[in-house]
Amino acid sequence: MRKPLIAANWKMNKTIGEALTFAGTFGQKLFERFEGGHIPVDVLICPPFLGIPALCAVFAGKPVYIGAQNMYWEDKGAFTGEVSAPMLKHTGCSFVIVGHSERRQLFGETDEHVAKKARAALDHGLKPVICVGETLEQREQGNTHKVVSEQIRAAFSQIKPEEVPSVVVAYEPVWAIGTGKEAKPEDAADVIRGIRETVDTMLGQGVSEELRVLYGGSVKPANIRSFMLEEQIDGALVGGASLDPEDFFKLVETAHKTKG
Ligand code: 13P
């Protein structure tokens, strides 16, 4: 059984003070709702780097995971402006997003970079959230499965079958990100089925049964249920709607009710 995961990608939003305000409101709602501390859904918040220590401190010992939105694959050295996996791990991170389409498009991140980052994350006990997804042009040309499969093949090229339960994939069609135009749940499920097939072909039949695959792209309280009803979809990676503590709580609550 794959545990649902609802993940917030705050992108370049919130000062440390704003992150703490969010944490106060969200934490109160979450812990009141799930008294006793057991939450049947994994909850992950990925703030900008600066917010990580504050959120790790607030949620220490609580079932809310903190992650980064990016990292570099080397441990240390002359890489100005970069942050490494051991640094994130020692600060209290459990997850790290790698290969988000904004990093691929705006910062020149390649499939090879994504593979190295995923490998380095696993080497240091961080769970990589590997993002894949096609552009509108690629979709219109009928290349969605091909593009996503190539991204998966590259990202998993250095991953061993026994590591798959520690890996998360986020299928985020680029055209659905921040546009308010979400994918059809059945279309997302179809692409995710293809992702599992690719992983099974590479690493062994049945390996992907333990791979958590999220959908991302304009997920909000009003539409999350339709995604969570799909057996293939294990959760969501959420941008805009994760910035509001009430909305993010609703996403966790709906995921729990739908999958529970
Ligand atoms: P939105 O939820 O704002 O569309 O962003 C999705 C995303 O890119 C999450 O990583």
PDB file of all heavy atoms in Angstrom, residues 7-9 11 97 100-102 131 170 172 176-180 216-220 237-242, ligand 1:
ATOM      1  N   ALA A   7       2.194  17.390  -1.073  1.00  0.00           N
ATOM      2  CA  ALA A   7       3.425  18.177  -0.975  1.00  0.00           C
ATOM      3  C   ALA A   7       3.204  19.613  -1.438  1.00  0.00           C
ATOM      4  O   ALA A   7       2.562  19.849  -2.472  1.00  0.00           O
ATOM      5  CB  ALA A   7       4.517  17.518  -1.825  1.00  0.00           C
ATOM      6  N   ALA A   8       3.741  20.543  -0.660  1.00  0.00           N
ATOM      7  CA  ALA A   8       3.672  21.968  -1.001  1.00  0.00           C
ATOM      8  C   ALA A   8       4.992  22.391  -1.625  1.00  0.00           C
ATOM      9  O   ALA A   8       6.051  22.189  -1.026  1.00  0.00           O
ATOM     10  CB  ALA A   8       3.424  22.784   0.269  1.00  0.00           C
ATOM     11  N   ASN A   9       4.911  22.941  -2.818  1.00  0.00           N
ATOM     12  CA  ASN A   9       6.087  23.575  -3.415  1.00  0.00           C
ATOM     13  C   ASN A   9       5.812  25.078  -3.410  1.00  0.00           C
ATOM     14  O   ASN A   9       5.056  25.577  -4.239  1.00  0.00           O
ATOM     15  CB  ASN A   9       6.292  23.062  -4.848  1.00  0.00           C
ATOM     16  CG  ASN A   9       7.413  23.807  -5.557  1.00  0.00           C
ATOM     17  OD1 ASN A   9       8.157  24.568  -4.939  1.00  0.00           O
ATOM     18  ND2 ASN A   9       7.531  23.588  -6.852  1.00  0.00           N
ATOM     19  N   LYS A  11       7.765  27.411  -4.125  1.00  0.00           N
ATOM     20  CA  LYS A  11       8.542  28.168  -5.128  1.00  0.00           C
ATOM     21  C   LYS A  11       9.185  29.375  -4.432  1.00  0.00           C
ATOM     22  O   LYS A  11       9.546  29.266  -3.268  1.00  0.00           O
ATOM     23  CB  LYS A  11       7.644  28.534  -6.321  1.00  0.00           C
ATOM     24  CG  LYS A  11       6.887  27.299  -6.839  1.00  0.00           C
ATOM     25  CD  LYS A  11       6.197  27.484  -8.142  1.00  0.00           C
ATOM     26  CE  LYS A  11       5.510  26.164  -8.531  1.00  0.00           C
ATOM     27  NZ  LYS A  11       4.867  26.235  -9.834  1.00  0.00           N
ATOM     28  N   ILE A  97      12.981  18.290  -3.967  1.00  0.00           N
ATOM     29  CA  ILE A  97      12.421  18.296  -5.328  1.00  0.00           C
ATOM     30  C   ILE A  97      13.591  18.403  -6.315  1.00  0.00           C
ATOM     31  O   ILE A  97      14.479  19.236  -6.122  1.00  0.00           O
ATOM     32  CB  ILE A  97      11.464  19.498  -5.505  1.00  0.00           C
ATOM     33  CG1 ILE A  97      10.271  19.389  -4.542  1.00  0.00           C
ATOM     34  CG2 ILE A  97      10.982  19.600  -6.955  1.00  0.00           C
ATOM     35  CD1 ILE A  97       9.397  20.650  -4.494  1.00  0.00           C
ATOM     36  N   HIS A 100      12.293  20.148 -11.343  1.00  0.00           N
ATOM     37  CA  HIS A 100      11.038  20.871 -11.595  1.00  0.00           C
ATOM     38  C   HIS A 100      11.120  21.559 -12.958  1.00  0.00           C
ATOM     39  O   HIS A 100      12.182  22.042 -13.351  1.00  0.00           O
ATOM     40  CB  HIS A 100      10.789  21.897 -10.489  1.00  0.00           C
ATOM     41  CG  HIS A 100       9.405  22.460 -10.548  1.00  0.00           C
ATOM     42  ND1 HIS A 100       9.070  23.464 -11.428  1.00  0.00           N
ATOM     43  CD2 HIS A 100       8.277  22.131  -9.883  1.00  0.00           C
ATOM     44  CE1 HIS A 100       7.777  23.723 -11.283  1.00  0.00           C
ATOM     45  NE2 HIS A 100       7.267  22.939 -10.348  1.00  0.00           N
ATOM     46  N   SER A 101      10.001  21.632 -13.650  1.00  0.00           N
ATOM     47  CA  SER A 101      10.035  22.186 -15.015  1.00  0.00           C
ATOM     48  C   SER A 101      10.521  23.636 -15.026  1.00  0.00           C
ATOM     49  O   SER A 101      11.103  24.082 -16.017  1.00  0.00           O
ATOM     50  CB  SER A 101       8.664  22.078 -15.681  1.00  0.00           C
ATOM     51  OG  SER A 101       7.719  22.851 -14.977  1.00  0.00           O
ATOM     52  N   GLU A 102      10.279  24.365 -13.925  1.00  0.00           N
ATOM     53  CA  GLU A 102      10.798  25.747 -13.892  1.00  0.00           C
ATOM     54  C   GLU A 102      12.324  25.747 -13.858  1.00  0.00           C
ATOM     55  O   GLU A 102      12.972  26.612 -14.448  1.00  0.00           O
ATOM     56  CB  GLU A 102      10.192  26.496 -12.690  1.00  0.00           C
ATOM     57  CG  GLU A 102       8.745  26.861 -12.958  1.00  0.00           C
ATOM     58  CD  GLU A 102       7.858  26.914 -11.727  1.00  0.00           C
ATOM     59  OE1 GLU A 102       8.383  27.020 -10.598  1.00  0.00           O
ATOM     60  OE2 GLU A 102       6.622  26.841 -11.904  1.00  0.00           O
ATOM     61  N   CYS A 131      10.587  15.483 -10.803  1.00  0.00           N
ATOM     62  CA  CYS A 131       9.491  16.067 -11.599  1.00  0.00           C
ATOM     63  C   CYS A 131       9.689  15.790 -13.084  1.00  0.00           C
ATOM     64  O   CYS A 131      10.790  15.974 -13.622  1.00  0.00           O
ATOM     65  CB  CYS A 131       9.427  17.571 -11.385  1.00  0.00           C
ATOM     66  SG  CYS A 131       9.126  18.028  -9.679  1.00  0.00           S
ATOM     67  N   ALA A 170       6.823  13.183  -9.506  1.00  0.00           N
ATOM     68  CA  ALA A 170       5.698  14.105  -9.669  1.00  0.00           C
ATOM     69  C   ALA A 170       5.481  14.326 -11.153  1.00  0.00           C
ATOM     70  O   ALA A 170       6.368  14.851 -11.838  1.00  0.00           O
ATOM     71  CB  ALA A 170       5.970  15.429  -8.969  1.00  0.00           C
ATOM     72  N   GLU A 172       3.995  16.461 -13.702  1.00  0.00           N
ATOM     73  CA  GLU A 172       3.474  17.818 -13.788  1.00  0.00           C
ATOM     74  C   GLU A 172       3.506  18.286 -15.240  1.00  0.00           C
ATOM     75  O   GLU A 172       4.555  18.742 -15.726  1.00  0.00           O
ATOM     76  CB  GLU A 172       4.330  18.779 -12.958  1.00  0.00           C
ATOM     77  CG  GLU A 172       4.429  18.411 -11.493  1.00  0.00           C
ATOM     78  CD  GLU A 172       4.754  19.629 -10.630  1.00  0.00           C
ATOM     79  OE1 GLU A 172       5.783  20.298 -10.879  1.00  0.00           O
ATOM     80  OE2 GLU A 172       3.973  19.918  -9.724  1.00  0.00           O
ATOM     81  N   ALA A 176      -0.042  22.810 -17.408  1.00  0.00           N
ATOM     82  CA  ALA A 176      -1.027  22.863 -16.308  1.00  0.00           C
ATOM     83  C   ALA A 176      -0.496  23.613 -15.094  1.00  0.00           C
ATOM     84  O   ALA A 176      -1.238  23.872 -14.149  1.00  0.00           O
ATOM     85  CB  ALA A 176      -1.418  21.441 -15.902  1.00  0.00           C
ATOM     86  N   ILE A 177       0.792  23.968 -15.127  1.00  0.00           N
ATOM     87  CA  ILE A 177       1.406  24.589 -13.947  1.00  0.00           C
ATOM     88  C   ILE A 177       1.083  26.081 -13.900  1.00  0.00           C
ATOM     89  O   ILE A 177       1.402  26.823 -14.829  1.00  0.00           O
ATOM     90  CB  ILE A 177       2.933  24.365 -13.947  1.00  0.00           C
ATOM     91  CG1 ILE A 177       3.234  22.880 -13.770  1.00  0.00           C
ATOM     92  CG2 ILE A 177       3.600  25.196 -12.865  1.00  0.00           C
ATOM     93  CD1 ILE A 177       4.711  22.533 -13.828  1.00  0.00           C
ATOM     94  N   GLY A 178       0.424  26.480 -12.827  1.00  0.00           N
ATOM     95  CA  GLY A 178       0.140  27.895 -12.591  1.00  0.00           C
ATOM     96  C   GLY A 178      -0.831  28.511 -13.590  1.00  0.00           C
ATOM     97  O   GLY A 178      -0.956  29.729 -13.659  1.00  0.00           O
ATOM     98  N   THR A 179      -1.524  27.685 -14.345  1.00  0.00           N
ATOM     99  CA  THR A 179      -2.411  28.209 -15.389  1.00  0.00           C
ATOM    100  C   THR A 179      -3.880  28.112 -14.999  1.00  0.00           C
ATOM    101  O   THR A 179      -4.731  28.678 -15.680  1.00  0.00           O
ATOM    102  CB  THR A 179      -2.236  27.388 -16.692  1.00  0.00           C
ATOM    103  OG1 THR A 179      -2.541  26.011 -16.390  1.00  0.00           O
ATOM    104  CG2 THR A 179      -0.832  27.495 -17.237  1.00  0.00           C
ATOM    105  N   GLY A 180      -4.181  27.363 -13.946  1.00  0.00           N
ATOM    106  CA  GLY A 180      -5.584  27.123 -13.589  1.00  0.00           C
ATOM    107  C   GLY A 180      -6.225  26.048 -14.453  1.00  0.00           C
ATOM    108  O   GLY A 180      -7.378  25.695 -14.266  1.00  0.00           O
ATOM    109  N   GLY A 216       0.799  17.016 -10.382  1.00  0.00           N
ATOM    110  CA  GLY A 216       0.939  18.435 -10.068  1.00  0.00           C
ATOM    111  C   GLY A 216       0.531  19.290 -11.245  1.00  0.00           C
ATOM    112  O   GLY A 216       0.750  18.911 -12.408  1.00  0.00           O
ATOM    113  N   GLY A 217      -0.045  20.445 -10.959  1.00  0.00           N
ATOM    114  CA  GLY A 217      -0.489  21.368 -12.006  1.00  0.00           C
ATOM    115  C   GLY A 217      -1.895  21.841 -11.720  1.00  0.00           C
ATOM    116  O   GLY A 217      -2.860  21.125 -12.002  1.00  0.00           O
ATOM    117  N   SER A 218      -2.001  23.042 -11.113  1.00  0.00           N
ATOM    118  CA  SER A 218      -3.301  23.659 -10.809  1.00  0.00           C
ATOM    119  C   SER A 218      -4.188  22.801  -9.917  1.00  0.00           C
ATOM    120  O   SER A 218      -5.413  22.796 -10.055  1.00  0.00           O
ATOM    121  CB  SER A 218      -4.028  24.033 -12.110  1.00  0.00           C
ATOM    122  OG  SER A 218      -3.254  24.995 -12.825  1.00  0.00           O
ATOM    123  N   VAL A 219      -3.561  22.069  -8.976  1.00  0.00           N
ATOM    124  CA  VAL A 219      -4.350  21.333  -7.979  1.00  0.00           C
ATOM    125  C   VAL A 219      -4.859  22.338  -6.947  1.00  0.00           C
ATOM    126  O   VAL A 219      -4.113  23.206  -6.493  1.00  0.00           O
ATOM    127  CB  VAL A 219      -3.502  20.247  -7.284  1.00  0.00           C
ATOM    128  CG1 VAL A 219      -4.274  19.626  -6.118  1.00  0.00           C
ATOM    129  CG2 VAL A 219      -3.089  19.172  -8.281  1.00  0.00           C
ATOM    130  N   LYS A 220      -6.137  22.198  -6.593  1.00  0.00           N
ATOM    131  CA  LYS A 220      -6.731  23.074  -5.587  1.00  0.00           C
ATOM    132  C   LYS A 220      -7.803  22.299  -4.827  1.00  0.00           C
ATOM    133  O   LYS A 220      -8.155  21.179  -5.247  1.00  0.00           O
ATOM    134  CB  LYS A 220      -7.295  24.341  -6.244  1.00  0.00           C
ATOM    135  CG  LYS A 220      -8.033  24.125  -7.541  1.00  0.00           C
ATOM    136  CD  LYS A 220      -8.316  25.453  -8.226  1.00  0.00           C
ATOM    137  CE  LYS A 220      -8.912  25.260  -9.602  1.00  0.00           C
ATOM    138  NZ  LYS A 220      -7.952  25.062 -10.657  1.00  0.00           N
ATOM    139  N   LEU A 237       1.535  17.416  -5.887  1.00  0.00           N
ATOM    140  CA  LEU A 237       2.566  18.430  -5.659  1.00  0.00           C
ATOM    141  C   LEU A 237       1.910  19.757  -6.035  1.00  0.00           C
ATOM    142  O   LEU A 237       1.504  19.946  -7.179  1.00  0.00           O
ATOM    143  CB  LEU A 237       3.803  18.147  -6.508  1.00  0.00           C
ATOM    144  CG  LEU A 237       4.978  19.131  -6.366  1.00  0.00           C
ATOM    145  CD1 LEU A 237       5.468  19.223  -4.925  1.00  0.00           C
ATOM    146  CD2 LEU A 237       6.147  18.702  -7.262  1.00  0.00           C
ATOM    147  N   VAL A 238       1.789  20.627  -5.049  1.00  0.00           N
ATOM    148  CA  VAL A 238       0.912  21.789  -5.188  1.00  0.00           C
ATOM    149  C   VAL A 238       1.699  23.085  -5.073  1.00  0.00           C
ATOM    150  O   VAL A 238       2.461  23.270  -4.112  1.00  0.00           O
ATOM    151  CB  VAL A 238      -0.178  21.753  -4.088  1.00  0.00           C
ATOM    152  CG1 VAL A 238      -1.200  22.862  -4.341  1.00  0.00           C
ATOM    153  CG2 VAL A 238      -0.848  20.393  -4.014  1.00  0.00           C
ATOM    154  N   GLY A 239       1.505  23.965  -6.033  1.00  0.00           N
ATOM    155  CA  GLY A 239       2.141  25.283  -5.984  1.00  0.00           C
ATOM    156  C   GLY A 239       1.214  26.292  -5.329  1.00  0.00           C
ATOM    157  O   GLY A 239       1.114  26.370  -4.102  1.00  0.00           O
ATOM    158  N   GLY A 240       0.503  27.061  -6.148  1.00  0.00           N
ATOM    159  CA  GLY A 240      -0.308  28.186  -5.677  1.00  0.00           C
ATOM    160  C   GLY A 240      -1.194  27.893  -4.475  1.00  0.00           C
ATOM    161  O   GLY A 240      -1.185  28.645  -3.490  1.00  0.00           O
ATOM    162  N   ALA A 241      -1.945  26.788  -4.535  1.00  0.00           N
ATOM    163  CA  ALA A 241      -2.906  26.506  -3.457  1.00  0.00           C
ATOM    164  C   ALA A 241      -2.228  26.072  -2.155  1.00  0.00           C
ATOM    165  O   ALA A 241      -2.885  25.984  -1.118  1.00  0.00           O
ATOM    166  CB  ALA A 241      -3.905  25.438  -3.907  1.00  0.00           C
ATOM    167  N   SER A 242      -0.922  25.813  -2.213  1.00  0.00           N
ATOM    168  CA  SER A 242      -0.231  25.400  -0.980  1.00  0.00           C
ATOM    169  C   SER A 242       0.231  26.603  -0.168  1.00  0.00           C
ATOM    170  O   SER A 242       0.723  26.458   0.943  1.00  0.00           O
ATOM    171  CB  SER A 242       0.977  24.520  -1.308  1.00  0.00           C
ATOM    172  OG  SER A 242       2.055  25.297  -1.823  1.00  0.00           O
TER     173      SER A 242
HETATM  174  P1  13P B   1       0.511  25.149  -9.352  1.00  0.00           P
HETATM  175  O1  13P B   1      -0.169  24.280  -8.325  1.00  0.00           O
HETATM  176  O2  13P B   1       0.610  26.588  -8.910  1.00  0.00           O
HETATM  177  O3  13P B   1      -0.067  24.978 -10.710  1.00  0.00           O
HETATM  178  O4  13P B   1       2.036  24.655  -9.434  1.00  0.00           O
HETATM  179  C1  13P B   1       2.294  23.304  -9.602  1.00  0.00           C
HETATM  180  C2  13P B   1       3.733  23.068  -9.400  1.00  0.00           C
HETATM  181  O5  13P B   1       4.564  23.476 -10.204  1.00  0.00           O
HETATM  182  C3  13P B   1       4.150  22.340  -8.197  1.00  0.00           C
HETATM  183  O6  13P B   1       5.478  21.973  -8.262  1.00  0.00           O
END
